[in-house]
Amino acid sequence: VNGVHDMGGMQGFGPIEREDDEPVFHHAWERRVFALRLACGGLGKWNIDMARHANERMPPADYLAATYYERWLWGLQLLLVGKGLTTQEEIQSGKSLAPVPHGVIAFAPERVEKAVRAGRNYRVDAVLPTRFFVGTTVVARNINPVGATRLPRYVRGKHGVVQRDHGVFIFPDTNAAGLGPKPQHLYSVRFAAKELWGDGTPHNDGVYLDLWDDYLDPV
Amino acid sequence: VRVWDGTSEVRYLVLPERPPGTQGMSEEQLATLVTRDAMIGAAKVPSPTGTRP
């Protein structure tokens, strides 16, 4: 119910390496994987939450040993095979063994620049009632769904205070499961470090999380 | 300390603090000083006098 990607509050992974003048890509194949992900996403067979959840389903030992773009490649293969766009045999052989499935239209290079520049916006243009106003104390639900969620483990059951209402956004949990966007308010919620990590943490420190209505209950 | 743990629905950029020694610099000159780390809140913009804060 909880994926290896949900690493907040864990330790022992070593220092974060900071490079001066870090390049966008460290290897040519990373650039290729990045382009492949965007081009295949342009086929319209999955949404961003399905794509993120694909990466999260990498076997834990592999996930921890993998680099960022290795996870992207693994997730892409899961999506492509899952949607019937390719097969494991084709990935292994590097050869197309079947005709292109009906109705699949390649993402044309001339569409790339416009699509990248336009970006994506997951804000929903809908007026929905606000459940929590700024300054309200809320408690993060103790949910442990089988599918995707963006509610970190370390915050479940903890009390926080709403800092900001970002407006109405697509809900990733249902969107990742193909159950629709279920639009709802997204809030910035502050959790005191002491509430999360107990005594001995600095009094004024806090963690801010962007959380949806369905992650929160009133106190 | 305030930590923003993004759930990736909203992206944040930090407007970096203007470093000392930059009076009279143009927008283009200032832009050359800004680093990626400064725009994600992980570092200050280095002063053009050479000392890294």
Side-chain angles (χ1 to χ4, degrees), chain A residues 18 22 52 122 150 154 166 169-170 186 205-210 212, chain B residues 1-12 36-37 42-43 52:
Chain A
R18 278 180 57 188
E22 184 180 8
R52 286 179 175 149
Y122 298 94
R150 303 195 80 76
Y154 69 79
H166 289 303
F169 282 78
I170 290 172
L186 178 72
D205 292 5
V207 178
Y208 293 68
L209 279 158
D210 292 326
W212 285 259
Chain B
V1 176
R2 297 178 180 184
V3 174
W4 261 263
D5 186 359
T7 51
S8 295
E9 207 64 10
V10 178
R11 302 289 191 185
Y12 294 92
R36 180 198 63 177
D37 284 355
R52 223 184 146 90

Side-chain angles (χ1 to χ4, degrees), chain A residues 81-119:
Chain A
V81 173
K83 294 294 178 185
L85 295 170
T86 189
T87 62
Q88 283 295 352
E89 293 70 36
E90 287 177 313
I91 291 172
Q92 293 301 323
S93 68
K95 293 191 178 73
S96 179
L97 302 175
V100 175
H102 185 70
V104 175
I105 300 160
F107 193 71
E110 54 268 26
R111 288 173 57 200
V112 171
E113 186 175 350
K114 192 180 172 194
V116 170
R117 285 194 186 282

Side-chain angles (χ1 to χ4, degrees), chain A residues 33 36-37 40 46 51 54-55 58 69-88 90-92:
Chain A
V33 167
L36 266 174
R37 274 288 283 247
C40 293
W46 53 79
N55 296 1
M58 195 173 191
Y69 284 110
E70 285 171 348
R71 293 170 188 164
W72 271 46
L73 178 58
W74 193 92
L76 177 61
Q77 292 180 10
L78 187 72
L79 290 162
L80 288 171
V81 173
K83 294 294 178 185
L85 295 170
T86 189
T87 62
Q88 283 295 352
E90 287 177 313
I91 291 172
Q92 293 301 323

Side-chain angles (χ1 to χ4, degrees), chain B residues 13-52:
Chain B
L13 286 178
V14 174
L15 183 63
E17 183 181 42
R18 187 171 186 155
T22 56
Q23 289 74 16
M25 289 179 70
S26 68
E27 185 178 335
E28 288 73 24
Q29 289 171 317
L30 287 167
T32 62
L33 298 177
V34 177
T35 63
R36 180 198 63 177
D37 284 355
M39 296 199 71
I40 59 173
K44 290 193 169 186
V45 173
S47 168
T49 55
T51 50
R52 223 184 146 90

